[in-house]
Structures are given as C-alpha cells and as structure tokens.
Amino acid sequence: QVQLVESGGGLVQPGGSLRLSCVASGSIRSINDMYWYRQAPGKERELVAGITRDGNPNYAESVKGRVTISRDNAKNTLYLQMNSLKPEDTAVYYCNASIVTRFFGQMYYRGQGTQVTVSS
C-alpha cells in the first residue's frame, strides 16, 4: 500500500508564495519520476511540473519562471515552490509519482490533492 499526502495549500493574495509538499509512504522500493498536476473547476487536469529521480525538472509554460519543483529522495518527499502567484493558479494541486513497490512493481500513484486559492 502506497500513500501520497500533499500539504501546504491555502489562500494567498496575488503575488504571494506557497510551498507545497508531498510525502510518499508505504512499501516503497524506489520512486522514479514525480509530478505536480492541477485541476481548476470546469477545466481539464494540467501538468504543472515534473522531476526525474536525478533531479532534472521540467515545467509548463504557464508557470515557468515562477515555480520550482524539487525532491528529497531520502525523505520520499516532493516539493513545489510557487512564487508570484496569480488568480489563474487557483486549483487543486495533485502529486503523482511512479513508484516501485515490493509487491506490485512499478505503478503510478496520486495523492488526494491540496487546494490553492489565489485571491485578494
């Protein structure tokens, strides 16, 4: 059993910052690529950023320059530092990860999400 638990969301004013975290736990052998997705009401899910196990990041054009994805492999934790937030960043943010477990091999897992609201 693997769990991904996100935290760090909340209400922030435009121009503000938030740092999201995602902790993976369970029968984990290794974690490969990790991602942050988001979904706003009435919109499709959007990839925000991804990072390889070696720490190579990639970003959606809509957040490039404002967002930094990072990870701590020793802690099985993924981060998303978001700066200069805009109202259009309002969404539920989900952590996804490709995880190799003891019993089921490699599978993708997703957390329950954390709400980010950017509003004055």
Side-chain angles (χ1 to χ4, degrees), residues 56-69:
N56 294 314
N58 61 83
Y59 300 97
E61 285 298 324
S62 58
V63 301
K64 200 172 286 186
R66 301 188 295 118
V67 161
T68 302
I69 188 171

Side-chain angles (χ1 to χ4, degrees), residues 2-48:
V2 170
Q3 278 192 318
L4 297 178
V5 179
E6 301 98 334
S7 62
L11 173 63
V12 63
Q13 291 186 343
S17 298
L18 281 176
R19 189 192 195 207
L20 307 183
S21 299
C22 170
V23 180
S25 62
S27 301
I28 296 171
R29 278 192 167 175
S30 64
I31 302 177
N32 299 319
D33 295 350
M34 303 184 81
Y35 308 89
W36 286 102
Y37 283 84
R38 68 185 180 186
Q39 188 164 21
K43 294 188 177 181
E44 293 192 358
R45 192 175 69 157
E46 173 190 21
L47 176 64
V48 177

